[in-house]
Amino acid sequence: MIDSTNESTISLVAEVEGFAVGFIYVSRNVDVDLLNECFQLSPFHGLRKIQEKDEICYQQSLKPEKAENHGSSLKTQLTTGISPSGSRHSSLCNEGLPVKCRLNENGTSKHFLKASLADVISGNHIVIQHPKPVIPVQLQNNVPSYKGDPSAVCVQLFCIDKMYETRSLDFLSKVFEMFPEVEYCIITVPHLTPEFPLLNFFTRIPPYPTSVFSQVLYVFHRAGLLRDFTVEKVKEEDFHDVSMFLGKFDHSLNMLEDVKQCLHFSQKKERKQIQAFVAKSYSDVVGIGIIGFEEDSEFLRAHYDIDSFCLYEQLTPQEHSHLHHFVINPIFNHLSKHFLKEILRLSGTINLYYQIQPSHSGILQGSKTCTVTVLEDLVPVCPRSMITYPLVELGVNAPAKRLLENPADFALYIMNKKLCFKKKIVLNIRIVVVGASEVGLAFLEALVMSSDLQFNYLTLVAPHGLPGELIPDELRETFHPQSHCYCPQRLHQLCMSTWVNQVYGTMTSIDKELKVIEVDSKAEIPYDILILCCGNQWQLSSSSNIHSFLRGTGLDSVTPKSVNLFLINDEFDIATALNWIETVFLKTTNNAVVYGRYLEVYSSIATLLKLGVSGSQITLISPSTTPEESSVFSNYEIAQTVNNSLLAEGVHMIENCEVLTWCTTDNLITSVTVQVGTQEETIDCGVLFLYDKKDVSSTTFKAINDANLVYDGRLVVDSSFQTNDPYIFAAGSLTKFSRKYCMDGITHQSFNSKEVGEKLAEKILLILNPIQHNNDHSPEPDALLTFTKPTVVYTNLPGGWKYLQVDRPGRQHLPYEESMHTVIPGHDIITGNMEEHGPGYFCLHLNQYNKVEAITCFTQKDLHTSNLIKLFGLHQSLLNNLLPKYKEGLITDLYSYFNESWCLAVYHDCFPGLLKDLRDIMISKKLNSIEKEELKSANQGLVFKEELEMHVLQFLNLYHFQLPMYAQQEMI
């Protein structure tokens, strides 16, 4: 290599006291055209010299596909989103596949402005006015055409002694000295290579959505060697330079207006609601940041876990600010965190916040805030679970209205001085998640919200992308039972589309040798770790009768061909079904046929009745069940009440029968034939909902089977979620445990989906995070995991009934006949009954340890479900001595009992942490038997009991703004 050095290649050696400590090999042979086809290099002018003939394209274009078989004209609204350059915002796949990615806005070549802003993040997507279905879009890359000569060198080999890694930048000074005509230095590294100190000075370039380039590209401009970089407040004489710096930058007028407003306040010496700062290098403006006073910091604290990043009580309101705009020249991208730190110092700000509004909000993304690369430096803040307050009963003791009036449906990011000095571990490993199930969402959330790691290449493959991006709609949200893992508001608060590339499609094959998956048989997506969370879907072919009928029709087992046949598997399917009901079915007198014996059947009928469908138009067909099948409801009386409500609504019910066939005319089902005993009955049909049985789709099964992954009725995994391939993991209802664990009948489906996803993320992070790996004291690798969170089912039922079932993880519901003869240890606390317009039925089961193990609610009144779920796992003594009071007849209505003000602290999201702290105090004291008896007898003389009380009072004082109904320490 040294011998081959010529005018286009050089080799440099770093020496210390005559000993070589570093080496670099640089070449001028760079395929600039290939890099421009694969990467978004517009901010760096395509790595070429500037010429007047350059053809610069400022954005990519979206071309909607032609809509077919949607029944009516479709109205769609395209919302343009702009994502942070150098962030994870492009899906690696071939052309022809609908891909969700972000549009990029190129800046002027004079100032090399950032190609994309990190404000909008939500990306190019379809926002649907319910219940209009989505039209897929095809993304085309409009690659700019640059005519200038290439102006880049490539680092082909680099090594340096670990002791001198911080001096890596010295190599680049010599490289540009050897190549004075070159402006850029690039380096490509494999995805699995950890970032080394030299890359801290480079800018990572995001690939185009259609790129299949196998490595990560980093770019450095020679101006990055300049040592002069200062940050100061905007002055009047800076305005012209700022306007020139922004140039053709999108939303530049909004930013200039804010700068004018800042200068106006400065001249009048008024209180500054907004402050502007500029970054300069040799008197040239290279960046601008605009912040404003944050007036709702207490609101943010109530809805987001800000306390994890600061001591909020010690801050004044003036020390909270909101980031409005942040633009920096990509040449100085590596100094963006320093720019932020200086803004905090000069403005006297402690906490700097940034919000990402949901795509459906009325705020035009980018007109309020515009950020470039700063989002990678900011830290996401976890949303908090809010208490549902009985405002009427609380009266003046309720929290401030400003905390409760407006919902917090945006993602929040934070930056403070401490976080400025905290370096994240950057990982370019390609993690591909297949399936947008709750397990997959929980896995992605754990990775995205990690404060120590930064994942640049997270990709989700799903037929309709991430859920929660449709306009909120109560009917759509209640069409199917809810698990309360991910409500629409929480999805908006996470805004995972900011960090996760979305590929619309279905996995059709897996190539384990090349480590790629095929999507829709026409696009290949490479992976380093593959996560399968496909789950089970409602199938056409689950019933043997339907299956035999389908053989002669050529119908697919997952995607029905008839327009009015619906298999509801996600919110997009629900939106499509509701669209058909509202635009077509309600104008006819045909029957709506619902087939199945699952909870989804009753919730969908309840929604149809709310839509205005007459009960006489609805036919419920219930198939026969086997003795082994569990009951739909946990209580036989609840099932009878629901059936009576259906009859009262006029719903026609046919039980213990099977669907044999259906007749179609012009792609519409017109009638359904069922077998009742030995006779056949034909029913007129305007729309058919099939809830036969959930199973793994045939497409997914074929991909798994062809990849030689062990499949035994389900995809077999071990206790670490690993398949027989070390790079493929799986979780959720798709999987089952290996037979060696002797866990037949217990699968991931028996546990809380969100907890399963979190456990999967823990296993992956244990592999990827060296810090956690060194500090982890986990059990043996092959030990089965312990799940503690409850399984939750909540749904609306016909007759206005609301049903909530909370169970311990792993519990299997028995058939009614068997459950009546099964004795479950513990106590059942029951109030109310199934009478209409009454308080409702409430059953709370305590196990043998007097802890809440199951909750059943059945009422026509509004349920505070988020509150009631938090009762799970609590000892009855924490519930104001529930069991003794019930036995004494003091509790006649559990709904009103758990709605009293004393119970609100139990619903606080930090209450489990308080219990843990109290338990740690008790353990640390090492009480003997006599002291334990004294504690039980409420002996006030024990010192540690005073310590416990003091700890509780501190908790109430810390969260007094959320719990004002409790007495404070100074009142006692």
Side-chain angles (χ1 to χ4, degrees):
M1 185 177 294
I2 297 177
D3 292 340
S4 63
T5 300
N6 52 42
E7 59 182 10
S8 62
T9 60
I10 62 169
S11 299
L12 299 176
V13 177
E15 293 184 355
V16 175
E17 298 181 353
F19 292 94
V21 296
F23 177 80
I24 191 170
Y25 181 76
V26 182
S27 173
R28 282 293 307 269
N29 300 322
V30 179
D31 192 342
V32 176
D33 294 331
L34 174 62
L35 295 178
N36 275 279
E37 291 176 3
C38 298
F39 294 93
Q40 302 174 26
L41 286 167
S42 301
F44 298 95
H45 209 75
L47 304 181
R48 291 179 177 271
K49 298 285 187 180
I50 299 176
Q51 279 195 2
E52 295 181 357
K53 298 181 180 180
D54 292 336
E55 299 175 3
I56 301 177
C57 181
Y58 286 96
Q59 67 178 19
Q60 297 171 339
S61 63
L62 283 171
K63 293 186 176 181
E65 290 181 346
K66 182 180 180 181
E68 298 179 357
N69 300 328
H70 289 299
S72 61
S73 61
L74 302 176
K75 285 186 178 181
T76 61
Q77 177 184 359
L78 286 176
T79 301
T80 301
I82 307 173
S83 67
S85 179
S87 187
R88 320 139 268 291
H89 299 285
S90 299
S91 300
L92 304 178
C93 60
N94 292 334
E95 286 192 29
L97 180 68
V99 177
K100 176 161 189 174
C101 72
R102 266 60 52 188
L103 291 182
N104 292 311
E105 188 72 22
N106 295 345
T108 60
S109 58
K110 178 178 179 180
H111 292 290
F112 296 99
L113 286 181
K114 202 64 179 177
S116 55
L117 302 177
D119 175 310
V120 199
I121 315 306
S122 54
N124 292 339
H125 53 279
I126 307 293
V127 178
I128 304 177
Q129 295 285 349
H130 158 70
K132 304 296 183 181
V134 173
I135 300 179
V137 296
Q138 293 284 355
L139 184 66
Q140 293 183 344
N141 294 331
N142 291 336
V143 181
S145 176
Y146 301 107
K147 308 300 182 180
D149 297 330
S151 181
V153 294
C154 175
V155 176
Q156 295 189 350
L157 181 63
F158 172 76
C159 60
I160 191 170
D161 190 290
K162 190 173 183 179
M163 186 181 300
Y164 303 97
E165 282 182 333
T166 56
R167 299 293 302 273
S168 300
L169 190 63
D170 295 347
F171 274 109
L172 297 183
S173 301
K174 192 65 176 179
V175 168
F176 285 111
E177 182 182 332
M178 300 291 291
F179 295 103
E181 74 285 359
V182 169
E183 295 183 4
Y184 304 98
C185 178
I186 69 170
I187 183 172
T188 61
V189 297
H191 281 273
L192 297 179
T193 302
E195 279 201 347
F196 41 91
L198 179 63
L199 295 181
N200 293 336
F201 303 98
F202 282 69
T203 299
R204 187 182 61 86
I205 308 300
Y208 279 119
T210 56
S211 171
V212 291
F213 200 84
S214 61
Q215 294 190 339
V216 186
L217 175 64
Y218 290 84
V219 173
F220 180 86
H221 190 274
R222 65 162 54 240
L225 296 172
L226 300 176
R227 301 298 184 184
D228 184 73
F229 185 86
T230 58
V231 179
E232 58 187 44
K233 293 185 178 181
V234 169
K235 298 186 290 291
E236 189 72 32
E237 54 268 25
D238 295 327
F239 186 80
H240 178 266
D241 292 337
V242 170
S243 61
M244 292 297 294
F245 168 71
L246 294 176
K248 298 180 181 179
F249 194 77
D250 199 12
H251 311 301
S252 59
L253 294 180
N254 296 326
M255 286 183 273
L256 291 176
E257 287 296 324
D258 288 339
V259 173
K260 289 180 181 179
Q261 185 179 0
C262 176
L263 294 174
H264 173 75
F265 286 135
S266 178
Q267 291 175 353
K268 293 192 173 184
K269 297 182 179 181
E270 298 178 0
R271 180 186 174 186
K272 295 185 178 180
Q273 295 290 333
I274 186 171
Q275 300 183 65
F277 303 86
V278 291
K280 294 183 178 181
S281 181
Y282 291 97
S283 302
D284 290 334
V285 174
V286 296
I288 181 167
I290 303 176
I291 66 173
F293 174 65
E294 179 56 70
E295 299 178 351
D296 298 326
S297 60
E298 193 165 285
F299 174 84
L300 297 179
R301 185 194 180 198
H303 292 270
Y304 298 88
D305 189 18
I306 294 176
D307 293 306
S308 296
F309 301 95
C310 66
L311 297 175
Y312 185 89
E313 296 291 338
Q314 298 182 6
L315 303 182
T316 63
Q318 292 74 25
E319 292 176 321
H320 299 272
S321 297
H322 183 90
L323 180 64
H324 287 294
H325 305 284
F326 189 96
V327 179
I328 191 171
N329 190 312
I331 295 172
F332 301 96
N333 184 56
H334 59 283
L335 297 174
S336 58
K337 183 173 284 190
H338 174 72
F339 191 3
L340 277 175
K341 182 178 63 176
E342 287 296 288
I343 289 177
L344 294 175
R345 182 182 64 85
L346 294 173
S347 63
T349 298
I350 300 298
N351 283 348
L352 183 63
Y353 306 103
Y354 177 70
Q355 300 176 10
I356 299 179
Q357 300 292 337
S359 56
H360 60 77
S361 68
I363 300 176
L364 175 61
Q365 300 284 357
S367 63
K368 182 180 178 181
T369 52
C370 297
T371 307
V372 186
T373 58
V374 70
L375 194 62
E376 287 189 338
D377 298 322
L378 302 180
V379 177
V381 185
C382 293
R384 300 178 62 176
S385 175
M386 285 291 293
I387 302 172
T388 303
Y389 296 93
L391 299 179
V392 177
E393 291 81 355
L394 290 175
V396 295
N397 291 325
K401 289 184 178 180
R402 66 179 183 276
L403 302 181
L404 307 174
E405 286 180 343
N406 300 319
D409 57 352
F410 52 84
L412 182 68
Y413 293 80
I414 190 173
M415 176 55 62
N416 54 37
K417 187 177 295 185
K418 177 182 176 181
L419 296 174
C420 281
F421 293 98
K422 184 178 180 180
K423 175 64 177 176
K424 287 186 177 181
I425 300 175
V426 178
L427 297 176
N428 291 319
I429 184 171
R430 295 167 295 186
I431 300 179
V432 177
V433 179
V434 180
S437 63
E438 290 178 339
V439 175
L441 294 177
F443 171 79
L444 289 172
E445 178 188 352
L447 268 57
V448 166
M449 303 303 290
S450 175
S451 60
D452 298 323
L453 302 178
Q454 176 179 303
F455 291 90
N456 290 328
Y457 291 90
L458 296 177
T459 302
L460 173 70
V461 179
H464 304 121
L466 284 166
E469 300 201 358
L470 302 181
I471 294 178
D473 183 354
E474 183 180 356
L475 286 177
R476 189 180 68 245
E477 294 164 10
T478 59
F479 194 91
H480 272 183
Q482 306 168 38
S483 65
H484 275 265
C485 291
Y486 287 98
C487 62
Q489 181 182 3
R490 183 169 182 86
L491 291 172
H492 299 154
Q493 290 173 333
L494 296 174
C495 194
M496 283 190 284
S497 58
T498 307
W499 311 98
V500 180
N501 303 310
Q502 300 177 60
V503 178
Y504 290 88
T506 304
M507 179 186 69
T508 52
S509 68
I510 304 173
D511 192 325
K512 296 192 298 183
E513 293 184 2
L514 297 178
K515 297 177 71 173
V516 298
I517 65 170
E518 194 175 61
V519 178
D520 290 343
S521 301
K522 58 183 179 181
E524 291 184 349
I525 301 178
Y527 69 86
D528 297 310
I529 292 180
L530 178 63
I531 309 293
L532 300 179
C533 301
C534 312
N536 297 333
Q537 290 81 37
W538 297 107
Q539 304 287 322
L540 280 175
S541 57
S542 296
S543 170
S544 58
N545 292 322
I546 296 178
H547 181 67
S548 60
F549 161 68
L550 290 175
R551 288 179 180 174
T553 64
L555 289 176
D556 182 78
S557 63
V558 178
T559 306
K561 301 297 182 181
S562 300
V563 177
N564 58 343
L565 170 60
F566 295 103
L567 300 174
I568 308 298
N569 287 310
D570 58 24
E571 64 175 2
F572 176 84
D573 295 336
I574 296 176
T576 305
L578 293 177
N579 178 58
W580 175 265
I581 296 295
E582 289 186 337
T583 58
V584 179
F585 180 78
L586 288 178
K587 300 176 182 178
T588 68
T589 58
N590 295 328
N591 291 324
V593 179
V594 184
Y595 176 79
R597 190 186 289 273
Y598 293 90
L599 197 56
E600 287 82 356
V601 170
Y602 301 98
S603 63
S604 60
I605 291 178
T607 304
L608 293 177
L609 293 172
K610 284 185 179 180
L611 274 173
V613 179
S614 172
S616 59
Q617 286 183 267
I618 302 175
T619 300
L620 171 59
I621 303 175
S622 301
S624 56
T625 59
T626 62
E628 294 79 14
E629 287 188 78
S630 61
S631 55
V632 176
F633 299 99
S634 60
N635 186 296
Y636 179 75
E637 295 181 359
I638 294 178
Q640 287 295 106
T641 304
V642 173
N643 287 335
N644 293 336
S645 298
L646 289 173
L647 294 175
E649 293 284 354
V651 177
H652 182 211
M653 301 173 63
I654 306 176
E655 296 186 350
N656 299 322
C657 63
E658 298 289 341
V659 173
L660 294 178
T661 183
W662 53 74
C663 296
T664 60
T665 302
D666 297 331
N667 207 29
L668 291 172
I669 295 178
T670 56
S671 64
V672 175
T673 302
V674 299
Q675 182 176 358
V676 184
T678 58
Q679 299 180 350
E680 294 184 4
E681 181 178 344
T682 301
I683 305 169
D684 293 335
C685 179
V687 60
L688 175 59
F689 294 91
L690 275 182
Y691 298 101
D692 189 10
K693 191 174 182 180
K694 279 191 171 184
D695 205 347
V696 179
S697 71
S698 58
T699 304
T700 302
F701 168 75
K702 184 178 184 303
I704 292 173
N705 188 64
D706 292 346
N708 295 323
L709 299 178
V710 178
Y711 194 92
D712 181 17
R714 291 288 185 270
L715 180 59
V716 177
V717 296
D718 61 12
S719 59
S720 299
F721 304 93
Q722 195 174 52
T723 64
N724 57 306
D725 185 280
Y727 303 104
I728 301 179
F729 297 78
S733 56
L734 169 70
T735 66
K736 64 174 292 186
F737 290 112
S738 174
R739 290 182 182 267
K740 67 180 181 180
Y741 299 111
C742 300
M743 295 283 289
D744 292 343
I746 302 297
T747 64
H748 291 163
Q749 194 171 3
S750 307
F751 306 109
N752 184 289
S753 299
K754 185 177 181 181
E755 187 177 19
V756 172
E758 291 171 348
K759 296 287 187 181
L760 171 60
E762 288 178 8
K763 292 295 183 181
I764 299 300
L765 291 175
L766 189 61
I767 300 172
L768 301 179
N769 189 351
I771 297 177
Q772 182 176 348
H773 182 77
N774 295 334
N775 298 332
D776 185 76
H777 300 286
S778 58
E780 293 297 325
D782 209 29
L784 286 174
L785 298 174
T786 301
F787 296 92
T788 58
K789 293 185 179 180
T791 58
V792 180
V793 175
Y794 171 77
T795 189
N796 291 340
L797 298 172
W801 293 100
K802 298 173 179 61
Y803 175 67
L804 172 66
Q805 183 65 44
V806 182
D807 282 319
R808 62 175 171 81
R811 181 180 179 182
Q812 301 292 330
H813 285 285
L814 302 174
Y816 293 132
E817 295 77 8
E818 186 176 348
S819 62
M820 293 174 63
H821 301 89
T822 303
V823 178
I824 302 177
H827 304 275
D828 283 331
I829 300 178
I830 301 175
T831 63
N833 50 43
M834 280 72 168
E835 294 181 1
E836 292 189 5
H837 310 298
Y841 174 82
F842 197 124
C843 176
L844 188 145
H845 178 74
L846 302 177
N847 62 14
Q848 61 269 36
Y849 307 108
N850 286 338
K851 289 187 175 183
V852 178
E853 189 177 68
I855 302 171
T856 302
C857 297
F858 186 73
T859 181
Q860 291 179 320
K861 295 184 177 180
D862 291 335
L863 271 178
H864 295 167
T865 54
S866 60
N867 288 353
L868 296 176
I869 293 171
K870 295 174 184 176
L871 298 176
F872 177 83
L874 296 179
H875 194 274
Q876 65 86 22
S877 61
L878 294 172
L879 304 178
N880 209 3
N881 293 318
L882 172 66
L883 185 58
K885 288 186 177 181
Y886 177 76
K887 290 182 177 181
E888 294 173 9
L890 301 177
I891 300 176
T892 57
D893 182 10
L894 286 174
Y895 289 106
S896 60
Y897 181 77
F898 289 122
N899 214 29
E900 295 175 0
S901 59
W902 65 264
C903 199
L904 295 180
V906 174
Y907 305 142
H908 198 278
D909 61 333
C910 294
F911 187 74
L914 172 64
L915 295 181
K916 182 180 181 300
D917 293 340
L918 297 178
R919 182 175 180 272
D920 292 340
I921 293 174
M922 294 286 293
I923 294 176
S924 64
K925 298 301 179 181
K926 298 181 180 180
L927 305 180
N928 55 39
S929 58
I930 299 177
E931 291 174 327
K932 289 181 180 179
E933 291 300 324
E934 290 179 346
L935 179 63
K936 291 181 181 179
S937 62
N939 190 320
Q940 298 295 328
L942 294 177
V943 177
F944 67 87
K945 185 170 184 180
E946 296 179 357
E947 183 179 351
L948 295 178
E949 292 177 347
M950 186 62 64
H951 208 81
V952 174
L953 291 174
Q954 289 175 356
F955 171 82
L956 296 176
N957 182 62
L958 179 62
Y959 298 107
H960 177 63
F961 68 105
Q962 289 177 301
L963 302 170
M965 65 290 303
Y966 289 89
Q968 298 302 299
Q969 185 173 353
E970 58 271 12
M971 302 179 185
I972 301 176

